[in-house]
Amino acid sequence: MLEEEVISQVGSQYITSPAGFNAATQAVYASLRDYYGRESGMTMTVFGTDTYTMGSDGVYKFVNQYTTQLDARTGYLNDIWNAFYLGINTANAVVAQAPNVTGLEEAVKKRRVAEVKFLRAHHYFILVQMFGAVPLVLEQNATATKEASRTPVPQVYAAIVKDLQEALPDLNSTTDYGRVTKGACEHLLARVYLTKATSEAAAADDYAQAATYAQNVIKNYSYRLLPDFANVFAQGAGEVNDEVIFATQYTSDPTTNGSGNETHIHFLMEYDVVAGMQRDVFYGRPYKRFRPTNYTLNTIFKDRTNDSRYQKSFRTTYLSNKPGTYTNVFDNTKTRVTYQLGDTAIYLPGEEWSRAKRASKPYQVLVPSLYSARLFPTLTKFLDALRPDLSYLNGSRDFLMFRLAETHLIAAEALLKQGKANEALPHINAVRRRAAFAGKEAAMQITADQLTMEFIMEERERELLGEMFRWFDLKRWGKLIERVKLYNPDGAPNIKDYHVLRPIPQNQIDRTAGGAAAFPQNPGY
């Protein structure tokens, strides 16, 4: 007789083997893919700010509009909450079981524990910024529990800092692409202290700590700003470059890529219904989710003479991939257009042109007065031209989480907040010099008296637009409500003071013993 032992799950003892311990560590890394590269993460960080509003499509426009639909049932918030707590519990298991692992070098074991402590700190950092007081769970849950409570914000920050500081000595100092390194840990510490400085957990030395850790990253490692801003986002081998400190990894192998990096679809205008154009892999699959505000286009990127970042962040030209003669022309200065393959079909000058000038061109000219929820400048940072076909969603490019330009901006802000504008200035100017058109480097330099918080607020978006920082930045500056009202007409009518926190997912409240009495909702929701 055949004797069978049915095992439906990996046994709990597997984690104490070298293979199991490494697999558990990799599982914690994998939880980054539930946030970076997902529409959920992008929606909660890019939408509803001063720099991005909604395009024509998508069912989560209410996040940008701050209507009453943004409530405890918001699916994207539930997704982020669950994914991060799953990752946190796996990290807890790695930390708890590390002493029981046999057959693995002690140094490797300590390094893996340090890596997951960094990732656990990262997850709590995102959660505490979004939701405020959240359950702080630092022990492995081997069985389901209905007991949970909201830990005060200062305690959560204390745990984040403790994890990162404990991790730092045991991490590799050399580049180990894909894994957490000392440089990545110090970068996150700098970001945490900069954010903590304006939170309920604020301490007198937060800005000094932020500046120190950021300067350590700049001085003590091999990271370098690339000479050309555009090359930072060059797809393929270009993503692994001297500026990248840490990234969420994706791959072209569909068996290990999960849902892939979806960000290539979110920032695109509807070019594929315009005369002379059809959807293709190079120009992308346009989901029309996120549209830049007038503030982004007219203020953030006002200088297009010296600063190359508008040109290198947005697509200005579309070449015809569907030749023919057309009469359905959005450019109202002409009634028909005819294109050969490769002719310019659409041009976005980024400024108004006279009717006569537009009419003189054989292509359609999309000037700002013609922008709409369907037609607007496309951010190109995340486009994925290596997808196997034009409808493929599971992108393969890595998501760049930490890069050295941000480190310089953190250092500059932390020093400025300490009244050290002269020390902050070289960090801002390093970023701006790199962004200059050739021969315009001197014109891009600023002086200490020009270095204000308003300047930093703009400079961060010139450099980091779309990279999942803006909502958090506006929140920590205490500017979210003010600037949405000023610059986001879709969000302005409804945003309220309580929107500086997201609603706790109702699922969490419902599955907690005692319900809302034991696990209260954030005010306003």
Side-chain angles (χ1 to χ4, degrees):
M1 298 291 292
L2 176 65
E3 293 184 5
E4 293 182 296
E5 181 183 0
V6 179
I7 299 176
S8 59
Q9 297 182 7
V10 174
S12 59
Q13 72 280 4
Y14 177 61
I15 196 174
T16 61
S17 69
F21 192 68
N22 281 320
T25 303
Q26 290 168 358
V28 187
Y29 277 100
S31 62
L32 294 171
R33 289 181 171 182
D34 293 310
Y35 181 71
Y36 297 103
R38 296 277 78 73
E39 187 172 353
S40 56
M42 278 284 179
T43 297
M44 305 315 300
T45 55
V46 173
F47 244 6
T49 65
D50 53 351
T51 54
Y52 264 94
T53 186
M54 57 202 190
S56 61
D57 288 355
V59 297
Y60 279 83
K61 292 178 182 177
F62 60 84
V63 174
N64 180 69
Q65 295 168 306
Y66 292 98
T67 68
T68 54
Q69 283 181 276
L70 177 57
D71 62 17
R73 298 164 295 178
T74 301
Y76 283 168
L77 290 172
N78 190 61
D79 293 344
I80 293 168
W81 181 281
N82 288 342
F84 276 172
Y85 272 108
L86 182 61
I88 287 166
N89 193 52
T90 307
N92 292 344
V94 171
V95 174
Q97 296 300 325
N100 303 320
V101 176
T102 58
L104 196 63
E105 291 181 28
E106 194 63 27
V108 174
K109 195 190 307 185
K110 290 173 69 176
R111 192 156 61 246
R112 298 294 178 261
V113 169
E115 291 169 23
V116 301
K117 282 188 174 182
F118 167 96
L119 294 167
R120 181 169 70 181
H122 167 274
H123 290 7
Y124 273 123
F125 182 47
I126 299 297
L127 290 168
V128 76
Q129 290 177 91
M130 280 192 175
F131 301 103
V134 294
L136 182 62
V137 183
L138 301 174
E139 302 293 332
Q140 178 186 3
N141 279 330
T143 58
T145 178
K146 297 183 70 175
E147 300 299 324
S149 61
R150 299 186 65 178
T151 305
V153 167
Q155 290 177 235
V156 178
Y157 268 104
I160 292 168
V161 170
K162 182 174 183 288
D163 263 353
L164 293 173
Q165 290 178 338
E166 288 180 353
L168 189 57
D170 294 323
L171 292 168
N172 273 341
S173 58
T174 55
T175 300
D176 186 4
Y177 186 76
R179 287 196 181 276
V180 178
T181 60
K182 286 183 185 292
C185 191
E186 294 206 73
H187 179 97
L188 184 53
L189 273 163
R191 192 193 286 178
V192 166
Y193 274 115
L194 188 69
T195 306
K196 179 174 172 287
T198 53
S199 75
E200 299 169 47
D205 66 342
D206 283 339
Y207 287 124
Q209 293 275 23
T212 297
Y213 280 114
Q215 289 171 310
N216 286 349
V217 176
I218 294 163
K219 293 184 299 185
N220 298 339
Y221 303 95
S222 60
Y223 309 116
R224 299 289 182 272
L225 293 177
L226 297 189
D228 188 342
F229 172 79
N231 288 342
V232 178
F233 300 96
Q235 192 174 7
E239 296 164 76
V240 186
N241 62 58
D242 289 342
E243 187 166 333
V244 177
I245 299 170
F246 189 52
T248 298
Q249 289 184 282
Y250 288 94
T251 174
S252 58
D253 182 351
T255 64
T256 58
N257 201 34
S259 298
N261 184 345
E262 302 170 347
T263 53
H264 59 90
I265 61 179
H266 298 140
F267 294 86
L268 283 65
M269 79 172 197
E270 195 176 42
Y271 74 90
D272 56 341
V273 298
V274 175
M277 300 298 302
Q278 61 185 346
R279 184 188 302 177
D280 68 12
V281 173
F282 177 77
Y283 288 117
R285 182 173 176 178
Y287 266 44
K288 307 177 289 294
R289 294 293 193 264
F290 308 137
R291 173 168 58 100
T293 61
N294 290 335
Y295 169 72
T296 297
L297 300 173
N298 301 333
T299 301
I300 298 294
F301 292 103
K302 181 178 181 180
D303 179 6
R304 302 177 192 177
T305 302
N306 304 306
D307 194 328
S308 70
R309 285 174 293 191
Y310 176 82
Q311 184 186 92
K312 294 173 180 177
S313 296
F314 292 98
R315 186 173 302 291
T316 57
T317 305
Y318 293 79
L319 303 182
S320 177
N321 58 11
K322 190 179 180 183
T325 297
Y326 300 88
T327 56
N328 55 328
V329 182
F330 70 74
D331 183 348
N332 52 20
T333 65
K334 49 186 73 73
T335 57
R336 68 170 55 209
V337 287
T338 299
Y339 300 121
Q340 301 296 319
L341 186 67
D343 286 350
T344 298
I346 311 169
Y347 179 64
L348 289 79
E351 61 184 6
E352 288 300 320
W353 282 6
S354 68
R355 288 185 60 87
K357 185 175 181 179
R358 285 160 52 198
S360 70
K361 303 301 180 182
Y363 45 78
Q364 299 161 98
V365 182
L366 183 57
V367 291
S369 60
L370 295 178
Y371 293 168
S372 67
R374 295 184 179 277
L375 298 176
F376 50 81
T378 286
L379 185 68
T380 59
K381 286 180 177 180
F382 310 114
L383 293 182
D384 187 342
L386 300 182
R387 295 173 299 123
D389 63 65
L390 57 85
S391 295
Y392 198 75
L393 289 177
N394 301 348
S396 63
R397 67 180 303 153
D398 294 349
F399 191 96
L400 308 185
M401 296 166 55
F402 304 171
R403 56 187 183 91
L404 192 65
E406 188 213 348
T407 322
H408 278 289
L409 293 170
I410 290 172
E413 183 176 341
L415 289 164
L416 182 64
K417 284 292 190 179
Q418 296 175 77
K420 300 178 179 179
N422 287 328
E423 294 180 43
L425 191 62
H427 295 289
I428 286 287
N429 280 338
V431 174
R432 289 181 60 78
R433 272 195 309 274
R434 190 273 294 277
F437 283 115
K440 301 290 187 178
E441 291 82 4
M444 285 287 282
Q445 306 294 289
I446 65 167
T447 59
D449 62 318
Q450 293 174 297
L451 183 54
T452 63
M453 274 306 301
E454 182 67 25
F455 190 92
I456 285 177
M457 289 178 193
E458 293 181 7
E459 189 65 23
R460 280 187 65 87
E461 282 299 84
R462 281 189 280 270
E463 184 68 28
L464 304 172
L465 184 72
E467 296 178 48
M468 299 179 69
F469 293 111
R470 195 60 172 182
W471 191 88
F472 293 132
D473 283 346
L474 294 179
K475 171 187 164 72
R476 68 183 174 82
W477 292 326
K479 297 287 187 179
L480 178 65
I481 313 302
E482 171 190 328
R483 294 178 78 93
V484 168
K485 286 183 176 180
L486 280 172
Y487 302 121
N488 187 327
D490 297 309
N494 300 314
I495 194 168
K496 304 289 192 300
D497 289 348
Y498 67 82
H499 284 126
V500 296
L501 290 176
R502 302 304 197 181
I504 299 292
Q506 190 63 41
N507 285 350
Q508 175 62 49
I509 297 172
D510 292 343
R511 65 194 175 203
T512 301
F519 205 104
Q521 180 58 269
N522 280 327
Y525 294 105

